[in-house]
Amino acid sequence: MRRAIPAAEFVGRSRELAVLHEALEAARAGAPPMLVVHGEAGIGKTRTIAEFARAAEDDGAAVLWGTCYQGCLTYPYGPWAQALGAYLDGVPGDRVASVLGVDAAALAQLLPPPARLAALPALPPGQGRLRLYEAVVRCLQAIERTPVLVLDDIQWADADSLDLLVHVARFATRPLIVLAHRGGDLDPADPVTQRLAEISRHRESDHVPLESLPRDEAGVLLEHVAQRRVGNDTLTAIYDESGGNPFFLGELGRHLQRRGQDPGAPGWRPPATVRQAVGLRLAGLSKATREMLQLAAVFTSGFGFVELSALTGLDEAALLDCLDEALAAEVLEPAGPERYDFAHALVRHTLYDRFSPSRRARIHRRLAEALERTHGAQLGAEIARQYRASATFPGAEAGVPYAIAAAAAASAVPAPAEAEELLEIALALDTGAQRAGILGRLALARAEAGRHAEAVATLTAALDLMSKGEEIATLIQRVLTVLQDGLADQASLDPLIARGLAALGDRHGLAWARLKLLERPTEAILAGDVHATRFLGFDPEAVRIARVEGTEADAARTIDQFAQWPLPELESFMTRVAGWHDPLARLRGLLLLGMSATVTRWSGASLPAEQLCAEIELLGERTGSLPARAMAAVFRAAIHGARGEFGESVAALDRAASLMERLPSGHAVTNIALLVRELTLQHVEADWPAMGERMYALARRRDPGPWFGLMWAAIAAHAFARAGLEDRSRFVLGRITPAISACDPWDNAQSGAVNFAAEAIWDLRATDLAAPLLTCAQALVDAGAGDYYMASSELTVARLQALLGHGGGESFDRARCATERRDQRPLRAIVDHDDAIARQWTRQAGAEPLLRSAAARFEELGMNEWAGRAPPRSGLPDGLTAREVEVLRLLAAGRTNKEIASELVLSVHTVERHLANAYRKISVRNRADATAYVLRSGL
């Protein structure tokens, strides 16, 4: 942490210190807040927090202190690197990697040399930031003592550091976070204030304003610094002039102590401003020291002896004398081995503001050239900023290569906001010779930062300056790949793809293939207010070229999760992808194939799904890819759910949800996880009306990925049918059935749309809607197109044939064999149940054993929604279940829904669902008609 301040120098602030110590106790109790200590310059924010930090360390806390500077440090995430670096300094060098475990390499990206460790595979920009953020969170969580994270002067924090703060504040549950912010009321338009507001939505936050010291405490501080008694009249004059500002009071006290002047002497007046008081302190220094300090004022974040020597031109002995004098006067303070900083920013500002603009430019240029001589590219970011500060002086374009190189280093961390700022510096310094290249790099940096509109505009500006077709196509492909991975609107990318293809003309090489694979050719499917599209597939020639001439990363981008993937081909391609050497290409390929293996095509085909899921989990951990880990958990949930292991499935979904909290909104894994969760819980405990509304809302959305629109709507129809909302279910089915009938068996989501719509038709006993869906289901079976999670095309064929009076016995047998072969235990039980229902309709033998078998399986698997249907006793009319009969009897006896729920130990919602199902079966609409039915039927 920052150098300790002796307790004797600290006066007052008892209330504020009490608030800080209460927050520390809350952190120890498991509920750490975030505190923002704020006030005007010199009011004592840093001093107050340092006093608290000293006491906290004495009490066993681990204090991690980072300072933000006006301007940046020479590496990204400066305050975080300071804070974590100081913590790691206490760990022996040969043990750093073992202490940090799997996060060692990720954190090495954050820390400046010499703390860098082994490198990790580069992830896409958004994922790379998440990997770094998560590593910081785990590092803070792993500190044995209660961590106290202090970020001083947060008003000067860079955008990357603020984004990391938001993530840490949300997901690190152990550290107390203390921020120092200069200023009074926080400006709502300020980026820092906006980030703090975002944090307050997830973590308890409080503001600790620092006001002026009261007169008595001001007197104690003044006399302590002056080392003499101060009369009442003098104290009044000084207090009125200083306003009780501790820094101002300290400067006046030092002035009194140094001059030895009697404050009560005639004509004595205190300095009128803080800067005048600082000037009085500086006036007491030697001319050489004042000149050294004036030059040092151009450093915004401290300086080393070597840099200062190069800037001032003083020999070693003279410079050491100046430093010793400045340290003794408490104008400077040590900031590390061979490093120094001003004791307060007001001192630096006082010195810096004395320069004319022309002199400032020349001193900044002098510093830039000095840093070039002493450090070269190692301090490229700082050199670039010094050249920008001296841009009015000829030759500033020399800073361009430093800015470009430093931007590349920042992107690798990744610190996208830092990279963007450095490239903007390069653009400002460039004389025109490198403008196109800088704009191209800036477009890529803005894409990596998630600034999609700005990236497209910058890319367009770069292209306007370029003439070579191959270079144009390559730049477009690089930037648009990042934008597409970042979920940019495809419509904004299509004109640029067309521009790149036009630049290539008739040349169909790898550059052409890469651009073509960025296209998303689709066809709209008209289904009322349901928004659905059909993906028309990648260009076959582009796929061939990418797989033959391209890299493994190119080959990974040719995988179409909606393509025809017969199971043998899927397994064969999985084997090929698993043998790739590029871990990120392998991960991308396996994730796309995983969708087919677990959710969209071959749910229940357990062996390839298990192997693939295990490989994704391993790669996700090794690369630190948070989306991959979340998707692997969803895949694992689907594997468990298909086997009827609902507890394990829900646990995996909860793990996925915890990971997805950290992902940006709209990520693809979110909708897949929702699908798996809804289709899993439908068998255990479902709120059918709410499920229907959720699914229908998704079906009507136009962003992102309308590939599943028909399927969402089909699930909605199924849920409305189960809820007894026949009119609502029929309305949705009427919208989507013509569109489903027009689709190909291999179209995206066709299997899910057919099977879930057919399930609604089965529940409604809607024979008038069955024929078109039977044709679609049979086409799915004949094509071998596979099945969505919790769906079986063979079962759908059997159900619809039974509804239409086409038998169905042999079809139920085929469904039984298919679900057994795929180890789909819940569906296997449902086959027996529905086969029995069909047999009861036609008065065929064998219904009772099938119902008993189904009931036993439902109970064994915990399928409460099905067990609640209970097998009908022989002789019960209209397909009523035993549970429905119990509910109807109690209704006829005059019980309310709440009383029925209490007597049968059910929820009111479950009672309502049983009544809705019973009303549908016995064709009544109200309680009076249901009562009459019970009496008439002798129930």
Side-chain angles (χ1 to χ4, degrees), residues 281-292:
R281 181 163 25 150
L282 295 171
L285 301 174
S286 67
K287 180 182 178 183
T289 299
R290 289 199 306 272
E291 290 176 350
M292 180 270 290

Side-chain angles (χ1 to χ4, degrees), residues 453-478:
E454 294 88 344
V456 168
T458 308
L459 174 59
T460 302
L463 297 175
D464 290 343
L465 300 175
M466 300 171 68
S467 58
K468 295 182 180 179
E470 195 83 16
E471 291 180 358
I472 290 172
T474 299
L475 178 60
I476 291 173
Q477 180 264 324
R478 289 185 63 202

Side-chain angles (χ1 to χ4, degrees), residues 536-557:
L536 302 178
F538 295 123
D539 184 283
E541 180 65 6
V543 170
R544 186 195 66 79
I545 293 172
R547 291 183 180 178
V548 172
E549 301 179 18
T551 64
E552 290 173 349
D554 292 319
R557 290 190 171 273

Side-chain angles (χ1 to χ4, degrees), residues 19 695 741:
V19 172
M695 295 296 99
S741 300

Side-chain angles (χ1 to χ4, degrees), residues 75-114:
Y75 40 88
Y77 300 102
W80 293 94
Q82 270 190 310
L84 291 172
Y87 165 67
L88 293 176
D89 282 346
V91 179
D94 59 348
R95 293 189 57 241
V96 170
S98 60
V99 168
L100 296 179
V102 297
D103 293 317
L107 286 174
Q109 300 174 94
L110 180 71
L111 302 174

Side-chain angles (χ1 to χ4, degrees), residues 74-310:
T74 52
Y75 40 88
Y77 300 102
W80 293 94
Q82 270 190 310
L84 291 172
Y87 165 67
L88 293 176
D89 282 346
V91 179
D94 59 348
R95 293 189 57 241
V96 170
S98 60
V99 168
L100 296 179
V102 297
D103 293 317
L107 286 174
Q109 300 174 94
L110 180 71
L111 302 174
R116 291 192 178 277
L117 304 168
L120 278 173
L123 287 173
Q127 293 188 42
R129 288 197 298 278
L130 281 174
R131 176 172 66 187
L132 174 61
Y133 293 0
E134 283 295 286
V136 173
V137 167
R138 285 192 291 267
C139 180
L140 292 170
Q141 294 289 88
I143 295 175
E144 292 183 4
R145 296 176 291 161
T146 301
V148 177
L149 174 65
V150 178
L151 296 180
D152 197 7
D153 282 329
I154 193 68
Q155 74 278 357
W156 287 329
D158 60 280
D160 294 314
S161 291
L162 288 174
D163 287 342
L164 178 51
L165 172 62
V166 172
H167 190 88
V168 166
R170 282 196 64 185
F171 300 111
T173 58
R174 294 193 62 235
L176 167 64
I177 300 174
V178 182
L179 310 177
H181 187 281
R182 176 185 292 189
D185 295 334
L186 301 180
D187 181 1
D190 184 73
V192 175
T193 305
Q194 292 169 359
R195 299 303 211 296
L196 298 182
E198 183 178 352
I199 291 171
S200 67
R201 292 194 290 269
H202 304 283
R203 189 186 192 106
E204 182 183 348
S205 303
D206 198 7
H207 290 257
V208 184
L210 289 189
E211 307 291 348
S212 299
L213 288 176
R215 188 176 182 280
D216 57 339
E217 292 179 353
V220 173
L221 175 61
L222 186 63
E223 290 183 347
H224 173 79
V225 177
Q227 298 180 16
R228 62 188 299 170
R229 296 285 298 171
V230 177
N232 189 59
D233 290 345
T234 302
L235 174 59
T236 298
I238 290 176
Y239 187 76
D240 290 346
E241 201 69 57
S242 69
N245 181 290
F247 180 80
F248 199 171
L249 288 165
E251 289 301 304
L252 294 173
R254 289 184 183 89
H255 176 61
L256 294 177
Q257 188 271 333
R258 183 172 57 252
R259 297 290 297 273
Q261 186 178 359
D262 181 2
W268 185 90
R269 288 182 59 81
T273 66
V274 173
R275 297 197 178 204
Q276 286 182 9
V278 172
L280 287 173
R281 181 163 25 150
L282 295 171
L285 301 174
S286 67
K287 180 182 178 183
T289 299
R290 289 199 306 272
E291 290 176 350
M292 180 270 290
L293 289 171
Q294 277 195 296
L295 291 173
V298 297
F299 292 99
T300 61
S301 54
F303 47 87
F305 184 89
V306 173
E307 298 100 84
L308 189 61
S309 175

